[in-house]
Amino acid sequence: MPISIFEKLEAVREKRGAVAVALLDPDKKNDNDLLKMVQLVNDSDFDVVFVGGSLISDNEFESRIKAISENTDLPVIIFPGSSNQLSKHANGVLFLSLISGRNPQYLIGEHVKSAPVIRNLGIEVIPTAYILLDGGVRSSVEVISNTSPIPMNKKDIILAHALAGEYLGNKLIFLEAGSGAKQYAACENISFLSSQLNIPIVVGGGVNTPDAAHKLVSSGAGYIVSGTQIEKIPIRENLQTFTNAVHQR
Ligand code: 1GP
């Protein structure tokens, strides 16, 4: 049986200490710079590309993800904002359950709508428990999903959600502080969770510096997701320093 994308990513995590994830938002606002961003990602030692956004304001998701896939050798995984964000041009999709919220649309509704489409597309599914934390600004995820983030200091509540995510059979726990967060997921939460969980932790939202990446990986994060800095500070040397900090082996 061929090795799955998830197994490949896990092999990278094992070998390099953690996986550097580049998040590209296939929204209209990034249209002119999209291929430049893909090239930057290719040149900066990222391991995988996630593609998705809370809101895509036109009908070009498919053409943009096609362009991304055609211009990189990295695996391309959809990080969907909704069941509309699916494409055969991706290698896989994070099958996200927004378990920090109690909105049934993001606990089962979008899943039912997307499941038959995913089956037709034949792309790999990576079940992922998605936990929204309060990163100090009202995030797009919070607004669009109509759910509240969990306060960062509620360590036991975060753990209870993460354990529930693991026991439900998810392969990843994604701790999301929201794109452009002031405060990324607290390192003490990562250390605590990683001592209790048997599945890898993905951290995203507000992780913009090598120092932050280094601290998070040292605390037990297995995947570091970076979006805003690729859009806003597109300097190859900075991104390379960032991915070096993620790769601690
Ligand atoms: C958002 O986790 C991602 O869903 C990335 O966040 O844009 O702050 O890097 P940033």
Side-chain angles (χ1 to χ4, degrees), residues 23 79 130 141 174 176 178-181 204-208 225-229:
L23 172 62
F79 173 37
Y130 190 63
V141 182
F174 194 137
E176 172 70 83
S179 186
V207 190
N208 299 320
V225 183
S226 178
T228 300
Q229 66 170 334

Side-chain angles (χ1 to χ4, degrees), residues 75-243:
V76 173
I77 296 180
I78 300 171
F79 173 37
S82 78
S83 53
N84 292 330
Q85 294 176 27
L86 291 169
S87 166
K88 64 173 186 255
H89 298 293
N91 302 105
V93 57
L94 298 184
F95 204 58
L96 295 174
S97 300
L98 178 42
I99 62 167
S100 50
R102 299 295 181 270
N103 182 344
Q105 182 185 353
Y106 295 101
L107 290 167
I108 185 64
E110 295 293 310
H111 309 66
V112 172
K113 279 196 262 179
S114 59
V117 181
I118 292 172
R119 190 188 164 96
N120 276 347
L121 294 172
I123 58 177
E124 182 175 325
V125 171
I126 305 174
T128 302
Y130 190 63
I131 298 176
L132 183 61
L133 302 176
D134 187 345
V137 285
R138 196 158 143 74
S139 66
S140 302
V141 182
E142 178 180 353
V143 175
I144 300 289
S145 69
N146 197 19
T147 66
S148 303
I150 305 175
M152 207 75 87
N153 61 356
K154 301 284 185 200
K155 209 164 103 174
D156 290 340
I157 296 181
I158 297 169
L159 174 65
H161 282 79
L163 284 173
E166 176 175 325
Y167 298 159
L168 281 164
N170 288 286
K171 290 186 175 169
L172 294 169
I173 297 293
F174 194 137
L175 293 182
E176 172 70 83
S179 186
K182 271 196 209 147
Q183 168 62 57
Y184 54 83
C187 288
E188 57 173 300
N189 287 333
I190 308 296
S191 323
F192 180 52
L193 292 188
S194 65
S195 71
Q196 307 285 321
L197 297 175
N198 290 305
I199 56 174
I201 300 173
V202 184
V203 177
V207 190
N208 299 320
T209 63
D211 183 54
H214 184 83
K215 284 183 182 147
L216 286 163
V217 173
S218 303
S219 304
Y223 294 70
I224 301 289
V225 183
S226 178
T228 300
Q229 66 170 334
I230 299 169
E231 278 178 33
K232 301 263 161 74
I233 326 165
I235 300 168
R236 198 200 70 78
E237 289 72 19
N238 291 8
L239 293 173
Q240 178 71 65
T241 313
F242 182 84
T243 57

